[in-house]
Amino acid sequence: MKMTQKLTRMLALLAVVAQVSLPVAAAEQKPETVASEATNRVLTVLRENRTVFEKEPQKYYVAVEEVLDPVIAFDQVARGVMGKYAHRATPEQLQAFTQTFRDSLIEFYGKAVMTLDPSRLKLSRVDPVAEEQLTDYRNRKIRSIPVNLKVSSDNQEYSLSYSMIQDGGQWKARNIIVEGINIGVQFRNQFTSAMQQYKDVGKVIANWSAIMKNQAEAAQGS
């Protein structure tokens, strides 16, 4: 399977599972508990809106946005994607990229999820988070909590590992590794490649939506 196509399938799974939290989840809940409760709600949202895509794509994207927005620490994800170039950006550029990254990612995920059938996906396993890890996180000995899950579809099973943090009193995802593919690293590589092309942080930010759109179209055509 081509890397672009594989990455899209992995992102589609991310869109379906939609990270592992919803705003109704209490911060004191363990991340794996939040994961199992949230997944069924997310699958329902996507099943109900799947047929909307061709007729009213913007309405579909709004539905995806409502699912993803509360559960992704977009500001931290965006900084991670920028990598070392975040230090070269002005506060205004950081804010602009966070918004651009958020909007383009939601659309990219919305398109990616069309490659899978949500009705066949189910959460088949959630590994419990050790209390020691939660204690280490509270004591700032570790920067995030890994939450390992299995999602199955027909005869296939996919491994997911979320890097969870508490942001604004909620568990949110800062990164995800799916079937060995580090999503954050993939996007960071894209940003680095764009910097090599444009030689300017502002130009990369201005062209990021087009870069993501090209990635989505390439993946759909793979």
Side-chain angles (χ1 to χ4, degrees):
M1 181 183 293
K2 294 181 180 179
M3 178 57 70
T4 306
Q5 184 179 8
K6 187 174 182 179
L7 175 58
T8 300
R9 281 193 170 274
M10 298 305 99
L11 290 175
L13 281 172
L14 175 58
V16 171
V17 181
Q19 309 298 334
V20 290
S21 179
L22 285 177
V24 296
E28 58 267 26
Q29 282 188 293
K30 287 189 175 182
E32 70 272 23
T33 303
V34 176
S36 58
E37 291 177 351
T39 299
N40 286 332
R41 300 189 189 106
V42 172
L43 290 174
T44 299
V45 169
L46 291 171
R47 289 190 192 108
E48 291 177 349
N49 289 277
R50 183 180 177 85
T51 58
V52 175
F53 179 64
E54 292 184 0
K55 295 181 180 179
E56 299 179 82
Q58 290 307 314
K59 183 177 180 180
Y60 172 76
Y61 293 142
V62 168
V64 174
E65 177 182 359
E66 289 175 351
V67 171
L68 295 181
D69 206 33
V71 301
I72 302 178
F74 280 108
D75 56 341
Q76 296 202 35
V77 176
R79 280 180 173 270
V81 169
M82 294 181 76
K84 63 182 180 181
Y85 300 108
H87 299 292
R88 303 184 189 180
T90 65
E92 292 77 16
Q93 287 176 325
L94 288 172
Q95 184 177 1
F97 182 68
T98 298
Q99 185 62 45
T100 299
F101 180 79
R102 171 189 171 279
D103 293 344
S104 59
L105 194 62
I106 286 170
E107 183 172 348
F108 188 54
Y109 281 170
K111 290 180 178 178
V113 78
M114 290 295 110
T115 67
L116 297 176
D117 181 0
S119 67
R120 296 180 180 274
L121 287 169
K122 64 179 181 179
L123 183 64
S124 55
R125 176 179 170 181
V126 181
D127 291 343
V129 174
E131 185 61 38
E132 291 81 2
Q133 286 184 312
L134 291 170
T135 300
D136 286 345
Y137 179 78
R138 296 186 193 105
N139 293 332
R140 300 184 179 181
K141 293 182 178 180
I142 56 176
R143 297 179 62 186
S144 62
I145 295 287
V147 177
N148 301 315
L149 305 91
K150 296 281 188 179
V151 175
S152 60
S153 175
D154 295 329
N155 295 324
Q156 289 185 301
E157 191 171 53
Y158 304 91
S159 299
L160 299 90
S161 180
Y162 296 96
S163 296
M164 302 294 295
I165 62 172
Q166 282 195 334
D167 183 53
Q170 307 293 336
W171 283 110
K172 295 185 180 181
R174 187 177 65 184
N175 194 22
I176 179 174
I177 299 173
V178 189
E179 291 292 288
I181 296 179
N182 189 310
I183 302 302
V185 170
Q186 292 293 319
F187 282 120
R188 188 183 308 145
N189 290 342
Q190 288 179 359
F191 194 95
T192 299
S193 178
M195 279 296 299
Q196 293 170 352
Q197 177 182 355
Y198 294 105
K199 313 295 184 184
D200 182 81
V201 171
K203 290 181 179 179
V204 173
I205 295 172
N207 286 278
W208 187 257
S209 294
I211 293 169
M212 292 288 286
K213 182 178 180 181
N214 290 338
Q215 286 291 321
E217 290 175 351
Q220 286 182 321
S222 299

